[in-house]
Amino acid sequence: RWVDAYFPFTDPSIELEIFFNGEWLEVLGCGVMQQQILDGNYGEGHKAWAFGLGIERLAMILFDIPDIRLFWSDDERFLKQFKEGDLGAKFKSFSKFPPCNKDISFWISPEFTENNLCETIRGIAGDIVEEVKLIDEFTNPKKGKTSHC
């Protein structure tokens, strides 16, 4: 649909919106350039239209990206999801908070299982913890004790 709009350098101004997933989404803004701008830059007698295609809005639809601000993000968790020429990629959500890696080292007993540790951590921290994984293992050769990190 075409909708009356306001842009600072055009008059009249209109937007093109498409209906997608139950909402109207702006994909194009346009209008007739204000005459005083044209006169001041090109001399009298010129007419012009200004157009702005919201290509990122179309990319949001194509790749299931929920927030336009992600396009201006330097977050590698977003950027690594898309590769040139891959139009089948779909956005995979991630925490809005930056990654925060913590590691814990501890001696293990013969009864220890990694599943018990993961269950304990998730039981205390809930959904705040995104991943628990073994990153290092050390066995003290003198004491015969093993440590996990």
Side-chain angles (χ1 to χ4, degrees), residues 4 14 21 39 49 51 53-54 56 78 84 88 94 103 121-122 130 137 140-141 147:
D4 283 333
I14 54 177
N21 282 347
D39 292 348
W49 278 84
F51 294 90
L53 179 62
E56 61 277 318
F78 175 72
E84 185 177 340
F94 54 88
D103 61 286
I121 291 171
R122 294 201 190 275
E130 293 183 5
E137 188 174 327
N140 184 315
S147 170

Side-chain angles (χ1 to χ4, degrees), residues 14-47:
I14 54 177
E15 291 176 344
L16 175 64
E17 295 180 340
I18 59 172
F19 194 70
F20 181 76
N21 282 347
E23 295 183 288
W24 288 101
L25 183 66
E26 174 194 343
V27 294
L28 171 82
C30 63
V32 177
M33 290 291 299
Q34 290 179 358
Q35 195 61 50
Q36 65 190 27
I37 295 171
L38 294 171
D39 292 348
N41 288 286
Y42 301 105
E44 293 185 17
H46 290 86
K47 301 285 183 208

Side-chain angles (χ1 to χ4, degrees), residues 7-139:
F7 300 111
F9 305 109
T10 61
D11 187 30
S13 304
I14 54 177
E15 291 176 344
L16 175 64
E17 295 180 340
I18 59 172
F19 194 70
F20 181 76
N21 282 347
E23 295 183 288
W24 288 101
L25 183 66
E26 174 194 343
V27 294
L28 171 82
C30 63
V32 177
M33 290 291 299
Q34 290 179 358
Q35 195 61 50
Q36 65 190 27
I37 295 171
L38 294 171
D39 292 348
N41 288 286
Y42 301 105
E44 293 185 17
H46 290 86
K47 301 285 183 208
W49 278 84
F51 294 90
L53 179 62
I55 196 78
E56 61 277 318
R57 304 272 184 176
L58 300 176
M60 289 174 71
I61 293 169
L62 181 64
F63 300 114
D64 292 337
I65 297 169
D67 188 334
I68 198 167
R69 295 171 293 183
L70 288 167
F71 288 108
W72 296 279
S73 166
D74 290 332
D75 194 319
E76 288 293 318
R77 296 172 296 170
F78 175 72
L79 299 174
K80 286 183 177 181
Q81 293 188 36
F82 306 98
K83 297 190 178 19
E84 185 177 340
D86 182 5
L87 298 180
K90 296 296 180 191
F91 174 74
K92 295 174 197 75
S93 64
F94 54 88
S95 174
K96 66 182 176 180
F97 301 106
C100 178
N101 298 314
K102 304 284 184 191
D103 61 286
I104 302 170
S105 295
F106 53 92
W107 297 111
I108 61 170
S109 70
E111 296 81 31
F112 172 82
T113 67
E114 195 170 331
N115 284 344
N116 287 348
L117 174 65
C118 293
E119 190 175 308
T120 300
I121 291 171
R122 294 201 190 275
I124 294 168
D127 292 337
I128 295 173
V129 175
E130 293 183 5
E131 181 179 34
V132 177
K133 69 178 179 178
L134 178 66
I135 59 174
D136 194 17
E137 188 174 327
F138 167 76
T139 301

